[in-house]
Amino acid sequence: MIEIRDYSFKYGDRWILRNINLTVDRELIVITGKSGSGKSTLALSIAGFLRDTGFHTGEILFSSSNIDEVDLFELAQSIGMVQQDPEAQICTLNVEDEIAFGLENLCFSPEEVQQRIDWALSIVGGVHLKERETRSLSGGEKQKVAIASILAMKPEVIIFDEPTSNLDVETTKEIMRVITKIKGKANISALVIEHKWKHIYKYADHFYEMKDGTLVRIETPVDIHYTGYMREVGEPVLELKNVTFSYDDLILDGVNLTVRENEVVGIMGANGSGKTTLLMCIMNFLNYEGDILINNKSIRDKKTAEIAKDVGIVFQNPNHQIFENTVRKEACFAATNFSVERDITPLLADAGLQEYQERNPFRLSYGEKRRLNIVSVLSYDPAVILLDEPFIGQDYENVQKIMDLLKGKTCVMVLHDPFIAKAFCTRVFELRGGKLHEIKL
Amino acid sequence: MRSSFRLNSLTKFLTVAVYCVILFIVDDLVVLAGLFVIPFVMYVTRFRVSRFVMIFAVIIFGINAFFIEGDLSYKVEYALRIVLRFLGIVFSGMLFSREDPNEFAHALMNCGLPYRYGMTMVLTFRLIPLFSTESMMIKKAQMARGINLEGVSSLLNSVRYTFFPWIYSALERADALTLSMEGRCFGIYRKRTFRKQSVFSLFDYAWILFMAAALAGAGWWSL
């Protein structure tokens, strides 16, 4: 049992957590809240990872002893943690080794280890993954393996820190089912930190919201409503004609799509269905068959450098597309490369970044970095903007801010969240079997 | 069950090491050619040879034949020896690189390599492909933002603009991994158990004996 009594945590001069009181006892508890509200800090505090950082008052008790006084390794055996990015927490090369990792560290006998691997895999519904190499797994499968590897240690509590933010809708539901099963079948408490609470809410024993560092108990969560806007659709800007691409397998099988000026086209589909590949073809990063036209001109035989000014792209990971050492320079980076004269200040203001102009962009929050990426593309006003899962790890408010920034732009965006798609996209397609199928949400 | 005629990873490693030593002990051109043929045939029957290796071999041959003093047949023989050694090492090394790195690391740990080092090896093999895809993404992002990646000056630009995003992601990755590994008690005891034991079969011992004999034979013969 975990008991948090009047716990506050301060980092620098800022109180990140204020007077938290919470008990976790064989329950499924869901904590939601905005980015930066302190959810992850709470998770790390409970797992004991912040004991040497910052300053705190109050106490966190585990089985009646203060966790500050419990050995970290001992605590780790009772409180496990599953992180956001499944890729980042896997440290071995095959599934069984990964699940065995903790048990082997704890010097369990090979027989016991094997038994627990089988047990943990059966709970997460991953028995078929047993022989696989970790790098060949999909995002959802990786997350299942990560969960199994914690589960195998049979802790009393597992903390899930936004475990589905990198996953598509179906996989999200599946992981949520796994989490509820863990509580039911293995009798392990689950503390789930998640802003996609819709898929888990009904299973939760208690539901909380983190607001500026304080924890508020909620009976029924308020539904999210995005504010979309009307769009007058114009002439075709981007046309895909029979675009076909294969690595070893056929990924895109004759994709046809016309995107008109001012449209926002949403592309959905399971992880690995080829959504990113489609965007890479439009950027001419890949050698595809068929034809792609921008403003009625074929770009088939042009180099990426030649079309980059007309087609902007925002990649998945914001850190991979920040190149300068101040926010202002970064915002001007692409425009300077394309020799576009542009006053960047209003754009930075729209993105809520004007006060950080001289700051190092890597020190911005995740949401701010994402907006900076978008400003950097908006600065040279390309005809089409491609966005690859821009909403990963972004809360409701940040999503709204991103979409407000993109108002009046022609966009093709890969996304997972049907609520966002419904609010902002003029048309939504599912990429399935290498082809686009229009869907109504 | 593993077949008893499959060699342990460590035996394979030893084999490659001894093979390379023998390549340098032996001077006879015919024997060298015979030695070269073994890994070469094993490789080409299973994998595709990159053109780079062959071009490099031709260049080595050319340079050696050109700079060595002596009559033509001596020049050619000398250069051939160098090239056969070079290719022998390359092909045996490439064969070994196709082995499961996980098995090799586990075999080493079984033979007494402290698990911290062994698991670091495993982790390295886990991270290399991730870092390489990450670098590719960063490069693509640069191209999309109008950095021209052709020519020498642009190469410098690319390095400059790759460094910080790359370092930043690496640090983030290190953070997540530390949490993941410490959270699963990595480093709690001086020893750790292993689910699979990397076994040395009778065949392994016989093979090691054979390699030792081959090494001794080559040494004695070249004296």
Side-chain angles (χ1 to χ4, degrees):
Chain A
M1 183 169 100
I2 295 175
E3 259 187 290
I4 305 175
R5 289 191 193 152
D6 212 26
Y7 182 82
S8 302
F9 180 85
K10 186 166 130 177
Y11 191 77
D13 346 312
R14 206 178 127 229
W15 286 99
I16 298 173
L17 299 175
R18 298 160 201 267
N19 310 92
I20 306 281
N21 286 291
L22 179 71
T23 315
V24 187
D25 187 15
R26 309 279 163 205
E27 291 163 305
L28 173 59
I29 287 180
V30 176
I31 299 179
T32 178
K34 285 195 259 174
S35 308
S37 61
K39 305 188 297 294
S40 293
T41 309
L42 180 63
L44 291 169
S45 299
I46 298 173
F49 286 114
L50 293 182
R51 51 168 66 176
D52 302 321
T53 330
F55 168 79
H56 68 82
T57 59
E59 54 188 3
I60 301 176
L61 303 177
F62 178 72
S63 300
S64 311
S65 42
N66 190 329
I67 61 154
D68 287 344
E69 282 138 34
V70 183
D71 178 64
L72 201 56
F73 283 135
E74 208 170 296
L75 198 63
Q77 293 171 55
S78 310
I79 304 178
M81 189 156 154
V82 175
Q83 302 178 66
Q84 182 175 343
D85 181 2
E87 187 79 83
Q89 52 195 322
I90 287 177
C91 55
T92 63
L93 302 167
N94 61 56
V95 169
E96 286 193 285
D97 277 358
E98 187 62 28
I99 302 172
F101 186 77
L103 304 171
E104 289 176 339
N105 289 332
L106 290 166
C107 292
F108 278 68
S109 71
E111 297 74 35
E112 175 84 19
V113 172
Q114 199 58 52
Q115 213 179 337
R116 289 211 188 183
I117 291 175
D118 295 338
W119 174 77
L121 275 175
S122 77
I123 299 240
V124 302
V127 178
H128 60 290
L129 304 174
K130 203 171 156 182
E131 307 284 326
R132 297 269 295 276
E133 286 187 10
T134 45
R135 66 167 178 188
S136 74
L137 302 174
S138 71
E141 289 168 342
K142 278 188 185 126
Q143 200 59 297
K144 279 186 185 176
V145 170
I147 293 173
S149 78
I150 297 290
L151 188 59
M153 294 167 73
K154 296 194 177 167
E156 275 183 49
V157 185
I158 302 181
I159 303 168
F160 296 88
D161 189 4
E162 302 192 19
T164 64
S165 57
N166 294 35
L167 306 175
D168 62 56
V169 189
E170 283 312 309
T171 321
T172 298
K173 286 186 193 160
E174 215 178 313
I175 295 294
M176 295 301 190
R177 274 198 292 273
V178 168
I179 294 173
T180 52
K181 228 168 119 185
I182 284 173
K183 189 230 155 188
K185 284 205 171 170
N187 199 21
I188 290 172
S189 299
L191 182 65
V192 185
I193 287 170
E194 184 64 82
H195 42 243
K196 289 196 272 182
W197 48 264
K198 283 203 172 175
H199 304 295
I200 188 118
Y201 164 63
K202 55 177 184 260
Y203 304 105
D205 294 310
H206 300 289
F207 192 84
Y208 294 88
E209 187 180 346
M210 188 73 94
K211 281 183 181 162
D212 291 324
T214 54
L215 205 54
V216 186
R217 178 128 176 223
I218 292 177
E219 290 307 323
T220 20
V222 189
D223 232 331
I224 291 166
H225 287 291
Y226 296 106
T227 328
Y229 24 82
M230 290 299 292
R231 285 175 177 266
E232 293 255 332
V233 172
E235 292 297 303
V237 178
L238 170 72
E239 284 169 87
L240 275 68
K241 290 185 174 165
N242 230 347
V243 172
T244 302
F245 180 80
S246 46
Y247 285 109
D248 290 331
D249 307 319
L250 192 63
I251 311 276
L252 302 174
D253 182 13
V255 172
N256 288 297
L257 175 69
T258 304
V259 182
R260 291 166 185 278
E261 195 184 343
N262 222 350
E263 258 202 300
V264 176
V265 170
I267 312 270
M268 298 176 74
N271 291 95
S273 57
K275 305 182 296 295
T276 301
T277 308
L278 182 64
L279 299 190
M280 294 298 152
C281 285
I282 302 175
M283 286 307 291
N284 264 355
F285 284 131
L286 299 172
N287 210 345
Y288 56 87
E289 282 167 41
D291 203 359
I292 297 179
L293 284 76
I294 289 181
N295 290 330
N296 294 318
K297 279 185 212 114
S298 170
I299 57 163
R300 171 120 184 66
D301 299 314
K302 291 192 176 172
K303 290 183 187 136
T304 301
E306 292 172 276
I307 60 162
K309 198 175 164 293
D310 295 320
V311 197
I313 185 163
V314 177
F315 288 97
Q316 254 176 46
N317 187 335
N319 296 324
H320 291 167
Q321 38 196 327
I322 290 177
F323 306 111
E324 286 289 3
N325 54 9
T326 70
V327 169
R328 192 178 180 82
K329 274 201 228 161
E330 176 61 32
C332 303
F333 180 72
T336 314
N337 292 332
F338 293 122
S339 319
V340 175
E341 293 276 335
R342 170 94 191 236
D343 180 17
I344 210 78
T345 317
L347 265 180
L348 281 174
D350 288 345
L353 295 170
Q354 71 274 43
E355 52 186 307
Y356 306 132
Q357 285 192 48
E358 295 310 317
R359 197 184 273 193
N360 187 321
F362 283 114
R363 293 187 54 206
L364 297 176
S365 76
Y366 198 76
E368 289 160 349
K369 277 184 201 164
R370 172 58 82 221
R371 294 204 292 281
L372 178 59
N373 296 155
I374 291 170
V375 166
S376 159
V377 170
L378 288 173
S379 68
Y380 55 93
D381 202 17
V384 193
I385 299 177
L386 313 176
L387 299 112
D388 193 1
E389 304 194 17
F391 308 118
I392 280 185
Q394 306 285 350
D395 61 11
Y396 153 75
E397 269 184 28
N398 278 330
V399 170
Q400 185 72 48
K401 281 183 192 162
I402 289 171
M403 288 316 296
D404 289 346
L405 258 179
L406 290 168
K407 205 169 180 171
K409 301 292 165 197
T410 313
C411 304
V412 178
M413 55 169 75
V414 169
L415 74 173
H416 287 317
D417 191 327
F419 301 106
I420 301 177
K422 195 174 177 189
F424 298 106
C425 294
T426 43
R427 284 182 296 155
V428 183
F429 294 87
E430 186 188 350
L431 187 56
R432 178 166 25 92
K435 285 188 161 61
L436 287 178
H437 306 267
E438 185 158 0
I439 47 175
K440 292 271 168 257
L441 291 169
Chain B
M1 273 313 281
R2 58 189 290 159
S3 99
S4 53
F5 289 110
R6 252 197 89 212
L7 288 175
N8 184 295
S9 255
L10 207 57
T11 317
K12 287 182 182 166
F13 179 72
L14 280 175
T15 308
V16 172
V18 170
Y19 170 82
C20 292
V21 173
I22 293 177
L23 274 182
F24 279 92
I25 295 176
V26 170
D27 241 4
D28 187 278
L29 204 55
V30 180
V31 180
L32 259 182
L35 281 173
F36 150 75
V37 163
I38 303 167
F40 179 73
V41 169
M42 281 170 78
Y43 193 85
V44 292
T45 48
R46 284 191 284 170
F47 313 110
R48 239 185 47 207
V49 182
S50 79
R51 203 184 303 159
F52 175 75
V53 172
M54 299 325 278
I55 293 172
F56 203 67
V58 171
I59 293 172
I60 290 183
F61 180 84
I63 290 174
N64 277 290
F66 187 76
F67 284 107
I68 289 299
E69 296 197 358
D71 56 20
L72 188 66
S73 70
Y74 177 76
K75 277 184 173 190
V76 171
E77 262 187 40
Y78 184 88
L80 259 181
R81 251 183 233 120
I82 300 282
V83 166
L84 287 174
R85 280 179 185 141
F86 165 73
L87 288 177
I89 291 171
V90 167
F91 282 108
S92 59
M94 287 201 302
L95 268 181
F96 184 74
S97 73
R98 299 283 177 151
E99 288 296 310
D100 182 0
N102 202 34
E103 229 172 82
F104 180 58
H106 278 84
L108 281 176
M109 286 187 277
N110 257 270
C111 290
L113 179 78
Y115 76 84
R116 280 165 194 274
Y117 302 112
M119 293 311 283
T120 310
M121 240 174 102
V122 173
L123 196 59
T124 311
F125 286 116
R126 155 101 187 104
L127 292 178
I128 287 170
L130 291 185
F131 281 140
S132 95
T133 27
E134 227 159 46
S135 310
M136 300 271 280
M137 280 320 283
I138 295 172
K139 262 209 180 109
K140 283 184 177 147
Q142 290 170 359
M143 280 156 81
R145 300 281 194 281
I147 291 282
N148 188 2
L149 290 181
E150 279 163 24
V152 180
S153 66
S154 63
L155 185 73
L156 281 176
N157 251 345
S158 168
V159 171
R160 175 179 155 210
Y161 290 124
T162 305
F163 188 69
F164 284 106
W166 201 81
I167 286 289
Y168 191 84
S169 327
L171 289 178
E172 262 194 354
R173 205 171 274 291
D175 261 355
L177 268 176
T178 313
L179 218 71
S180 160
M181 291 171 80
E182 278 189 7
R184 285 181 289 162
C185 300
F186 183 73
I188 179 170
Y189 303 124
R190 275 194 51 232
K191 294 231 177 275
R192 100 197 261 278
T193 49
F194 289 96
R195 184 172 53 87
K196 297 174 297 197
Q197 292 298 315
S198 146
V199 209
F200 276 88
S201 65
L202 218 59
F203 184 56
D204 278 296
Y205 291 116
W207 183 259
I208 291 170
L209 229 79
F210 168 71
M211 288 311 288
L215 183 64
W220 179 77
W221 184 55
S222 69
L223 279 178

